[in-house]
Amino acid sequence: MPPVWFLLFFLFQLLRWFVKEFSKGSEFLDLFNVDLKTSPTKIVLTSIKSTITLFMNKLAVIALGGNALLNSGQRGTKEEQIANVKAACEHIADLYSLGYQIVIGHGNGPQVGNVLLQNEAGFNTFEIPKQPMDICVAETQGSIGYMIEQQLHNIFVQRQIQTNIISLISQVVVEENDPAFLNPTKPVGPYYLEEDLDSMKEQGWKFNEDPRGRGWRRVVASPKPTEIRNWQIIETLARQGNVVIAAGGGGIPVIKQQNQMLQGIEAVIDKDLASATLAINIKADAFFILTDIANVFINFNSPQQQKLNNVGVQEMKKHLQDGQFTEGSMAPKVRAALMFCESSGNQTIITDLASLKDFGSGTCIVND
């Protein structure tokens, strides 16, 4: 007789298959000669599906890096971005197939930097008025959200998954007196050679060197998010089984005035902190921060380099305090991970796209 654990595993897989096939509609039910129009049958089967789905499905927030959508060295053509987004969505679809309800946040560093350059070129050549940062972030929310929604839809069609996907324009409130406005650290735009910086610094831009030696990038203020607008709607849509794309690029930065009116402000909110805030608001079961390496390291790029696998919150805090993680790179990801873990009691996984569906991979941060 097979062991008990094997029988339980088999039953679980059978239930997963049932829910997946049931979601396809009448074609699956026709196999059993079931008439879904009959009220008692519909009620019973719908109740079974809801119960199994509630037991199985966990809500996950995925923070997708902007560099995963536009790789270093690429020009940013539509074809390049579509190919990158499609590859990313294949991995997201794998996670969805494991039974997760999904909310996707995404970065926009390279993209919003390119939009700023387009503004500069348009002004210098045709005197087209430059647009402020909040408008540029809104533009990238629309364009990146469109690409993710379209490519994930196409993959779901290929896999015969019937699920709605929706992109939302998201405003995120920050404090006007946040100290981040005095110390810009958030990288945006392409990488530059050191000899190219002088002419651009004349425009009032500030630059930091990339810790991995890929060049120099413009840095802007990155204040902490204090409120994700319309998070209740995002949670409702996600728990109804829809895939939601929200808080793109960290959200459109706005401040709340004394009369409760909203106003845009020049900043780029860190997408990991914004996604963590959203994950806490919607009571997510797991938070995935995706980057271009499979694990977090201490003593990075040194002979003493060490990979982190399963790490407690207190150990990770110590590494952060010891300066193991670079600002504008891994440090904000670790802060976002710690914030979610401590606020929710659930785990954060920092990894790359290819490892997303592999349990036990990446750096898993948990409460001690």
Side-chain angles (χ1 to χ4, degrees), residues 125-141:
T125 305
F126 301 107
E127 296 187 350
I128 298 173
K130 301 177 186 179
Q131 298 302 310
M133 187 70 76
D134 56 312
I135 298 296
C136 295
V137 172
E139 285 186 30
T140 60
Q141 271 194 6

Side-chain angles (χ1 to χ4, degrees), residues 54-329:
L54 181 64
F55 173 75
M56 285 174 44
N57 285 0
K58 291 186 175 183
L59 180 57
V61 173
I62 299 173
L64 185 64
N67 290 319
L69 308 176
L70 182 59
N71 297 328
S72 176
Q74 291 185 327
R75 296 181 58 207
T77 65
K78 176 184 175 181
E79 291 74 19
E80 288 173 339
Q81 294 187 80
I82 288 291
N84 295 336
V85 169
K86 181 180 179 181
C89 287
E90 291 281 2
H91 297 293
I92 293 172
D94 290 339
L95 187 67
Y96 179 87
S97 297
L98 293 176
Y100 279 95
Q101 296 168 327
I102 290 177
V103 174
I104 303 170
H106 60 80
N108 69 342
Q111 293 83 1
V112 78
N114 287 345
V115 171
L116 292 170
L117 288 175
Q118 291 168 4
N119 280 336
E120 290 292 331
F123 177 78
N124 293 334
T125 305
F126 301 107
E127 296 187 350
I128 298 173
K130 301 177 186 179
Q131 298 302 310
M133 187 70 76
D134 56 312
I135 298 296
C136 295
V137 172
E139 285 186 30
T140 60
Q141 271 194 6
S143 60
I144 297 173
Y146 154 68
M147 290 187 287
I148 294 175
E149 181 177 336
Q150 182 186 79
Q151 294 307 306
L152 191 56
H153 164 81
N154 292 345
I155 291 167
F156 278 4
V157 168
Q158 292 174 342
R159 300 190 185 191
Q160 297 184 316
I161 298 172
Q162 296 182 359
T163 300
N164 295 316
I165 307 166
I166 184 169
S167 304
L168 300 179
I169 298 298
S170 305
Q171 299 180 76
V172 175
V173 180
V174 301
E175 296 291 340
E176 188 174 10
N177 59 355
D178 191 300
F181 287 105
L182 302 176
N183 182 32
T185 59
K186 180 65 178 174
V188 297
Y191 296 91
Y192 296 99
L193 298 175
E194 187 172 6
E195 53 265 30
D196 298 329
L197 300 185
D198 288 341
S199 60
M200 287 177 285
K201 285 181 178 178
E202 294 175 357
Q203 305 175 52
W205 291 4
K206 295 184 178 181
F207 293 84
N208 282 348
E209 188 174 10
D210 177 67
R212 299 174 66 183
R214 291 175 290 186
W216 294 73
R217 293 182 74 185
R218 181 186 175 190
V219 289
V220 298
S222 184
K224 293 180 181 178
T226 61
E227 178 188 349
I228 309 293
R229 300 288 297 172
N230 300 320
W231 67 263
Q232 298 94 335
I233 296 173
I234 296 170
E235 180 180 11
T236 298
L237 288 169
R239 293 195 182 278
Q240 288 174 345
N242 307 289
V243 175
V244 184
I245 304 161
I252 302 168
V254 298
I255 56 173
K256 188 178 289 185
Q257 300 173 313
Q258 290 184 350
N259 60 5
Q260 300 302 303
M261 297 290 187
L262 299 176
Q263 177 181 321
I265 192 168
E266 287 278 329
V268 170
I269 303 167
D270 182 79
K271 70 99 176 37
D272 297 311
L273 285 176
S275 295
T277 303
L278 177 58
I280 293 166
N281 289 160
I282 67 177
K283 299 174 286 294
D285 298 288
F287 180 36
F288 293 87
I289 299 177
L290 301 185
T291 182
D292 53 359
I293 55 176
N295 286 78
V296 180
F297 292 83
I298 56 175
N299 303 314
F300 188 63
N301 271 351
S302 77
Q304 292 76 38
Q305 177 173 292
Q306 179 183 343
K307 180 171 68 174
L308 300 179
N309 293 312
N310 296 312
V311 189
V313 164
Q314 296 306 317
E315 179 184 346
M316 210 63 172
K317 280 185 175 180
K318 185 177 185 307
H319 292 320
L320 186 62
Q321 292 169 356
D322 291 343
Q324 286 286 349
F325 311 119
T326 306
E327 295 298 335
S329 181

